[in-house]
């Protein structure tokens, strides 16, 4: 017996099912929106799955409203009818509903993909890791080549450089880092002088502490520690800034507008870093000498003795070797920070991973480059 359809408009969706000579008649009524579909979806699906029929008809005469949620239910009914090889007929459709259904009627609902992942074998894992490594090396080579070409072009044509961005990056990298650089330099000079003086005091050799402090700071510790602090502070900031722009598709927007992200973002940061890092190294060295002077004054040595001992063993080669190291380290740190930002992938943790990778990669490159400098200086007699 066919169910009697209501004659009034409904605020909520309803569904009823009847069997008519082997034909399953499903009557839908009310508002077929997201709220209404939620209340009848399971009942409609269960009724179709549990029934045996040769044809399926839907009576839409009682439907007062239909939107995308209602169309999704009709597509699900169509899918279930196709599984049972039964034809589906939509009856009593309003003209506006017929147009809406016609937009997506030939499509199908997306299938749920299994979340179970197949375990990879050792060969597959090694191959994937090797592929990622090779891809990373290619990106690194391309980045170094492009940045070197752009820096050369900037040196030949200074008017093409965005000097306002360079100045802003100088403030962010240098001026805002000055306090921490000076503090760490003072503490390192203080601690190294104190520890060395205590050890050498047994042999009456504490007078050589200023000599050691000057050589160590100007040739090695000054550029090394300054660059490590730069990697932790500025390199991570570069990666986070460019990585956030990558996720927000701002880099794609620059490319669409005909602006090179390398020229627009990377080059000013590298130039600014290479400008301010030598100055930061000088502040670090001076602060470390102040710390060493505090120790020597506390041990009864006059200030003139400390300064004369420091600069008696230092020459211009020691100073410029430290500055050269810092210049190379600054290029590595700024470059790897920008590269990790450009390589940022999508996801909630992508920027954090890029920032961490920038700091770790920067410190590793600094240590590697410092070892190369040590061997080169030894064989060159510098």
């Amino acid at each position: 017996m066919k169910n009697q359809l209501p004659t009034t408009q409904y605020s909520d969706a309803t569904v009823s099912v009847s069997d008519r000579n082997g034909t399953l008649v499903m009557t839908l009524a009310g508002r077929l929106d997201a709220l209404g579909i939620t209340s009848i979806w399971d009942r409609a699906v269960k009724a179709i799955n549990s029934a045996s029929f040769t044809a399926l008809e839907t009576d839409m005469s009682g439907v007062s409203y239909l939107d995308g949620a209602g169309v999704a239910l009709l597509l699900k009914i169509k899918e279930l009818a196709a599984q049972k090889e039964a034809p589906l007929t939509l009856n009593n459709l309003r003209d506006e509903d017929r147009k809406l259904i016609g937009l997506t009627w030939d499509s199908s609902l997306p299938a749920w993909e299994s979340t179970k992942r197949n375990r990879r074998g050792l060969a597959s894992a090694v191959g994937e890791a090797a592929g990622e490594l090779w891809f990373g090396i290619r990106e690194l080579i391309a980045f170094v080549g492009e940045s070197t070409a752009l820096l050369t072009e900037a040196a030949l044509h200074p008017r093409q450089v965005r000097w306002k961005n360079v100045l802003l990056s100088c403030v962010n990298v240098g001026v805002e880092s000055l306090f921490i650089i000076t503090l760490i330099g003072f503490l390192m000079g203080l601690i190294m002088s104190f520890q060395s003086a205590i050890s050498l005091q047994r042999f009456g050799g504490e007078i050589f502490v200023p000599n050691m402090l000057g050589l160590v700071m100007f040739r090695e510790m000054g550029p090394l520690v300054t660059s490590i602090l730069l990697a932790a502070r500025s390199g991570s900031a570069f990666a986070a800034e460019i990585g956030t722009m990558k996720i927000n598709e701002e880099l794609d927007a620059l490319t669409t507008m005909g602006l090179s992200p390398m020229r627009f973002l990377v080059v000013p940061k590298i130039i600014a870093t290479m400008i301010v890092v030598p100055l930061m190294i000088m502040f670090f060295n001076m602060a470390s000498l102040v710390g060493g002077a505090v120790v020597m004054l506390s041990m009864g040595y006059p200030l003139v003795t400390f300064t004369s001992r420091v600069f008696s063993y230092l020459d211009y080669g020691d100073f410029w070797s430290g500055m050269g190291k810092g210049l190379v380290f600054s290029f590595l740190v700024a470059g790897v920070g920008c590269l990790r930002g450009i390589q940022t992938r999508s996801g909630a943790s992508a920027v954090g991973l890029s920032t961490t990778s920038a700091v770790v990669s920067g410190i590793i490159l600094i240590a590697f480059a410092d070892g190369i400098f040590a061997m080169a200086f030894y064989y060159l007699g510098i």
Side-chain angles (χ1 to χ4, degrees), residues 36-256:
I37 291 302
T38 303
S39 63
I40 66 172
W41 183 287
D42 292 337
R43 283 184 288 167
V45 172
K46 184 178 180 181
I48 297 175
N49 288 330
S50 60
S52 178
F53 53 89
T54 59
L56 178 60
E57 295 182 4
T58 58
D59 190 346
M60 309 281 290
S61 60
V63 175
S64 60
Y65 177 80
L66 178 72
D67 62 7
V71 175
L73 177 61
L74 294 178
L75 289 174
K76 183 64 176 179
I77 294 173
K78 173 187 173 185
E79 178 183 321
L80 297 176
Q83 293 176 0
K84 295 199 174 187
E85 299 180 353
L88 172 64
T89 305
L90 302 179
N91 297 328
N92 302 320
L93 279 174
R94 298 181 302 175
D95 292 338
E96 59 269 26
D97 295 341
R98 190 182 304 275
K99 293 179 181 179
L100 178 61
I101 295 173
L103 295 175
T104 58
W105 189 246
D106 293 333
S107 62
S108 58
L109 293 176
W112 290 97
E113 296 183 0
S114 175
T115 57
K116 183 179 179 180
R117 300 180 61 185
N118 296 328
R119 295 185 60 185
R120 296 180 303 168
L122 178 61
S124 177
V126 172
E128 184 177 347
E132 292 181 357
L133 178 61
W134 173 245
F135 182 74
I137 293 175
R138 289 181 57 187
E139 283 190 331
L140 178 62
I141 294 174
F143 179 85
V144 172
E146 186 175 0
S147 59
T148 303
L150 291 175
L151 288 175
T152 303
E153 183 179 353
L156 297 177
H157 305 283
R159 293 180 179 272
Q160 297 181 2
V161 180
R162 299 176 61 88
W163 290 109
K164 291 184 179 179
N165 291 353
V166 172
L167 180 60
L168 181 61
S169 297
C170 287
V171 174
N172 294 333
V173 174
V175 177
E176 296 182 359
S177 303
L178 190 59
F179 173 76
I180 186 65
I181 291 293
T182 305
L183 178 62
I184 297 298
F186 174 79
L187 292 177
M188 288 199 66
L190 185 73
I191 295 170
M192 290 183 63
S193 299
F194 181 76
Q195 294 288 346
S196 301
I198 294 300
S199 300
L200 294 176
Q201 198 173 25
R202 304 174 185 177
F203 312 101
E206 64 272 15
I207 190 62
F208 296 105
V209 170
N211 306 77
M212 177 274 302
L213 185 64
L215 286 174
V216 168
M217 289 300 172
F218 278 84
R219 289 183 63 93
E220 186 67 27
M221 296 303 295
L224 184 64
V225 177
T226 302
S227 301
I228 291 176
L229 292 175
L230 176 70
R233 187 187 182 281
S234 301
S236 59
F238 292 164
E241 179 183 349
I242 298 178
T244 303
M245 296 179 68
K246 176 73 175 293
I247 291 179
N248 293 336
E249 299 182 354
E250 296 180 36
L251 299 186
D252 296 335
L254 289 175
T255 304
T256 303

